[in-house]
Amino acid sequence: RTMVMAKNRVTSPKLADLAKAAGVSKGTASNVFSHPELVRDEVRRHVRQVAQAIGYAGPDPKGRLLRGGRVNAIGVATFEPLAYFFADPYARLLMQGISAALDERGAGIALVSAKNREKLAWNIESALVDGFILLCIEGGPELVQLTQARQLPFVALALGKTDELISALGVDDAQGARLAAAHMIGLGHRRFAILGTDFNDDGSGLRTRAEGEAAQYLTPRDRLRGYFEVLATNGIDPDSVPIYETRNDPETVEGALDVFFKRTEPPTALLCMSDRVALFALDGLKRRGLRVPEDVSVVGFDGVPEAAAAFPPLTTVAQPIEAMGRRAVDIIFEGRGAVHKEVFNVELVVRGSTAPPQNQEMDR
């Protein structure tokens, strides 16, 4: 078995090396692998035997696909670790929509994590895809810039509406939050606490209203704005409402509950910025001997299947996650490079985790 030496580095043999070793033209050697019906049987067998002898594995599929101008695959990129795609209920439901749309087209998928900033450029530049769907990127303009440099179509989810040159799909987060807060107010709640998702890249803990409004990420800013608009309209001072930034994990949700329920007047209503956070809160409240909804009402945001299966079933603001994933695929393959902006409707789904307060004096 022979190898080709280049600048003191051993490299795999190329098509030209095979052609030379087999005594055929480069075109004939190429046809043996890509169009074998054009090559005589004895020549084809000879070239393949030589290829095996020198260690030639065949033409580079990446080069062939790129020359064809279509890969028939989409990249899904996020600043979260790759485990996010499998651990987070929202991400799983979104991927179901994306995968179903790709299956219908006979197309593939590549998952790209930008968690390692040092390898970000390589991950984006080397992905063999026809376009990108970008997740959780409000704080990551670098990801957008690198994707734009590939000159491939891409769609941002949860990016916001600030850049008119970027295709984006999402929901009106402020309106969804208004629905959640208005539901609690309608039940008679007056003591609130907010369990937030990530405001910035790191850290967790109690946050002031000003810190929440200055959050790096647009989604929690908009949801806070929606909550506060309804609370203020109903005579509740937003500055009196404790806000706890979690990391969307059980440990920081536990920390938030420790803080909230050590207060002299603990909340009777928890506004949670994601179903994942709300589900962790249900578990934590149960461990504390607090009944939901008798002692505390809980409302989430997303509408993932796990919310309906919780005990009690979780009231939530549902967004059409799978439909957004499907639509993002359509835009990549059929959008013809045009900028698309679409806002999907949200819906309040009332279940068993919310009820009128029992341990709070009602306003007259």
Side-chain angles (χ1 to χ4, degrees):
R1 181 169 178 166
T2 61
M3 301 295 285
V4 177
M5 304 296 295
K7 296 183 179 179
N8 298 322
R9 186 176 72 252
V10 178
T11 62
S12 298
K14 308 300 183 190
L15 182 65
D17 303 313
L18 170 62
K20 182 178 180 180
V24 299
S25 69
K26 188 174 177 181
T28 297
S30 176
N31 283 337
V32 167
F33 293 91
S34 56
H35 300 288
E37 72 280 1
L38 301 179
V39 184
R40 297 196 314 274
D41 289 345
E42 63 272 18
V43 174
R44 187 169 64 247
R45 287 195 297 271
H46 169 65
V47 171
R48 286 192 175 276
Q49 288 172 353
V50 173
Q52 184 176 10
I54 69 172
Y56 177 73
D60 181 3
K62 179 176 179 179
R64 184 170 67 251
L65 288 168
L66 292 177
R67 286 192 296 272
R70 197 64 178 265
V71 178
N72 204 32
I74 281 180
V76 184
T78 176
F79 267 114
E80 302 287 346
L82 286 175
Y84 167 78
F85 291 111
F86 310 99
D88 186 89
Y90 172 90
R92 287 201 303 268
L93 195 56
L94 182 69
M95 293 302 295
Q96 286 179 21
I98 292 172
S99 299
L102 291 172
D103 282 342
E104 291 170 3
R105 296 172 180 273
I109 190 170
L111 303 182
V112 180
S113 173
K115 189 68 175 178
N116 186 330
R117 296 294 183 97
E118 294 179 358
K119 295 184 178 180
L120 172 57
W122 167 254
N123 289 341
I124 295 298
E125 291 167 4
S126 63
L128 194 58
V129 297
D130 295 307
F132 287 94
I133 297 173
L134 308 181
L135 310 184
C136 304
I137 58 160
E138 297 116 310
E142 185 180 1
L143 183 55
V144 173
Q145 292 167 4
L146 288 169
T147 307
Q148 287 174 320
R150 282 290 306 268
Q151 297 185 335
L152 293 174
F154 69 94
V155 180
L157 299 184
L159 177 66
K161 325 297 188 290
T162 55
D163 192 331
E164 294 303 319
L165 300 179
I166 294 176
S167 291
L169 306 179
V171 299
D172 187 336
D173 286 295
Q175 175 59 17
R178 285 191 286 267
L179 291 175
H183 171 63
M184 294 292 209
I185 289 287
L187 292 173
H189 291 277
R190 305 293 295 176
R191 297 204 306 265
F192 288 81
I194 296 173
L195 279 166
T197 52
D198 302 3
F199 290 4
N200 301 293
D201 282 341
D202 51 33
S204 64
L206 278 174
R207 301 291 182 252
T208 65
R209 177 185 178 183
E211 288 173 325
E213 292 173 343
Q216 177 183 359
Y217 296 151
L218 183 64
T219 296
R221 292 207 312 265
D222 280 352
R223 293 182 185 177
L224 277 178
R225 178 164 56 86
Y227 295 147
F228 289 154
E229 286 176 2
V230 171
L231 297 181
T233 300
N234 287 275
I236 298 174
D237 180 5
D239 289 325
S240 71
V241 177
I243 308 164
Y244 199 103
E245 178 188 0
T246 76
R247 306 311 295 175
N248 218 22
D249 60 24
E251 293 78 17
T252 53
V253 171
E254 282 291 319
L257 297 179
D258 284 342
V259 170
F260 292 161
F261 291 95
K262 287 179 181 176
R263 295 169 65 94
T264 303
E265 293 188 334
T268 64
L270 293 181
L271 299 171
C272 302
M273 288 191 186
S274 77
D275 284 351
R276 181 175 168 88
V277 164
L279 293 170
F280 290 143
L282 290 181
D283 291 340
L285 292 169
K286 186 183 300 182
R287 283 192 293 273
R288 287 167 170 78
L290 293 168
R291 299 168 301 163
V292 177
E294 293 85 355
D295 300 322
V296 189
S297 284
V298 180
V299 60
F301 201 120
D302 283 333
V304 301
E306 290 85 347
F311 184 78
L314 180 67
T315 295
T316 185
V317 177
Q319 49 182 322
I321 302 171
E322 284 190 86
M324 290 192 291
R326 283 180 168 273
R327 181 61 182 138
V329 172
D330 291 342
I331 290 173
I332 296 295
F333 282 118
E334 301 172 6
R336 303 181 185 278
V339 174
H340 294 261
K341 299 281 188 182
E342 296 183 30
V343 178
F344 289 74
N345 293 326
V346 293
E347 175 188 8
L348 179 69
V349 179
V350 179
R351 299 193 181 106
S353 69
T354 52
Q358 294 187 4
N359 300 322
Q360 171 179 288
E361 184 180 350
M362 301 285 287
D363 272 7
R364 292 178 173 83

